[in-house]
Amino acid sequence: MSTARPALVLAPLLLGAATALALGFYATVHEPTGRGLVFVDAEQVGDLKAGVTLLVVALVVVQLFMGARLRSGDRTASDGAVRLADAHRLVGTLAFAASIPVAFHCLWALGYRSDDAVVVTHSLVGCLAYGLYVAKVTAVRLDGTARGMVPALGVGLGAALLLVAATAR
Amino acid sequence: MSRSRFARVVDGVQWAVGVGAAAAVVMLFSLGGAPEDTTTAEVVAMEVVDPGVLAAGQTVYAAQCATCHGIEGAGGVGPSLVAVRDRYDDPGDQVEVVSLGRGAMPAFAGELTVDEIAAVVAYTRAGSG
């Protein structure tokens, strides 16, 4: 039975932490513009973000179910398992892609605000979610990470994204 | 063992999304932030005060602010603006609240231009709100 190599456990976590901190730092020092996205007027951006957030939530739920099925199912490399793993990768990638314009607007146009507990939670967990994403996609590509690390990061990422959506305004 | 066509499609999507994410990071830095100092300076200059700016501010106030803050600025759903100067010593802070919203107050950055926000802030600070 293989044992986890500490460096391969730490590396994804450190990369994820650096990502979350970098996003938080940017949001803090950047002067928010209050504008819409490059291709969407400011008055329409709220509706766009709400719609995209719903899409991301739906993809996250699908992703969590597929992740659970991957964990509980036959671990041999059957065609079905391989296809499910690829579908899991695709849905996760699409959820990440859909979240980018939303996060971009939050960071660039709104920035970090500390006057409201819900907004603070949204800001902090949003940064954490991207840190968890980076940690997960790094860990999943490394052989020798701790057993259970990738699923734990996946569940954490899913929970963080759901919390981000629940605290969005 | 060769990878399936579906797996290669997923690889391609991941690369494309990775490039898109990298582009978004570059844009975060290249697009820059709001010219806060300019806006603050504009409002300070307007406080000197240009009657035309006050008139423009009054028009904006009546259309966008009076419903919540009252026609005379005495408050209603939103707080009173009678002593707004005391709350926002720096007009830039008030511009930020109007632009980005706070609490129940919506953001007006998409509704109003920078000049309109500066005008309505100058108007309320002139004690006319």
Side-chain angles (χ1 to χ4, degrees):
Chain A
M1 186 176 136
S2 64
T3 54
R5 291 164 56 189
L8 295 181
V9 174
L10 273 178
L13 296 178
L14 289 176
L15 264 177
T19 302
L21 287 173
L23 291 174
F25 180 74
Y26 174 89
T28 307
V29 300
H30 169 74
E31 191 63 47
T33 62
R35 296 181 191 156
L37 284 167
V38 177
F39 47 88
V40 184
D41 290 342
E43 59 255 41
Q44 297 167 330
V45 85
D47 292 340
L48 174 78
K49 286 173 76 175
V52 173
T53 300
L54 266 180
L55 173 66
V56 171
V57 166
L59 291 173
V60 165
V61 170
V62 171
Q63 187 72 341
L64 287 171
F65 275 112
M66 284 200 292
R69 182 122 176 90
L70 276 171
R71 289 288 295 168
S72 63
D74 183 1
R75 300 290 176 77
T76 58
S78 65
D79 283 350
V82 170
R83 207 170 295 126
L84 180 62
D86 285 333
H88 183 69
R89 246 178 354 119
L90 179 62
V91 171
T93 304
L94 293 178
F96 172 68
S99 75
I100 290 175
V102 177
F104 184 93
H105 184 263
C106 289
L107 288 166
W108 180 67
L110 304 179
Y112 176 76
R113 279 169 48 189
S114 57
D115 56 324
D116 184 313
V118 175
V119 177
V120 170
T121 303
H122 183 79
S123 302
L124 295 178
V125 180
C127 294
L128 175 68
Y130 280 96
L132 287 168
Y133 180 83
V134 167
K136 182 178 185 273
V137 296
T138 305
V140 86
R141 281 167 172 72
L142 296 174
D143 287 329
T145 55
R147 182 178 161 79
M149 182 178 179
V150 170
L153 288 170
V155 169
L157 172 57
L161 286 172
L162 294 177
L163 183 54
V164 169
T167 53
R169 285 184 170 171
Chain B
M1 184 176 132
S2 64
R3 308 196 74 205
S4 70
R5 188 174 173 184
F6 180 50
R8 289 198 300 274
V9 168
V10 176
D11 289 345
V13 171
Q14 285 193 314
W15 271 106
V17 170
V19 170
V25 171
V26 170
M27 283 173 68
L28 278 176
F29 289 96
S30 61
L31 289 175
E36 185 191 47
D37 292 339
T38 305
T39 305
T40 303
E42 283 172 2
V43 176
V44 171
M46 285 172 183
E47 285 184 332
V48 174
V49 152
D50 180 341
V53 169
L54 282 185
Q58 186 175 22
T59 303
V60 172
Y61 184 89
Q64 302 286 351
C65 316
T67 308
C68 293
H69 292 285
I71 295 170
E72 300 297 326
V77 177
S80 167
L81 299 176
V82 171
V84 72
R85 269 176 185 275
D86 296 337
R87 268 190 289 149
Y88 299 104
D89 190 37
D90 179 352
D93 292 340
Q94 193 183 343
V95 167
E96 184 177 316
V97 172
V98 176
S99 300
L100 304 179
R102 177 168 296 176
M105 177 161 160
F108 283 91
E111 300 278 330
L112 304 172
T113 65
V114 171
D115 285 345
E116 286 173 329
I117 291 173
V120 78
V121 167
Y123 173 70
T124 58
R125 294 176 71 82
S128 308

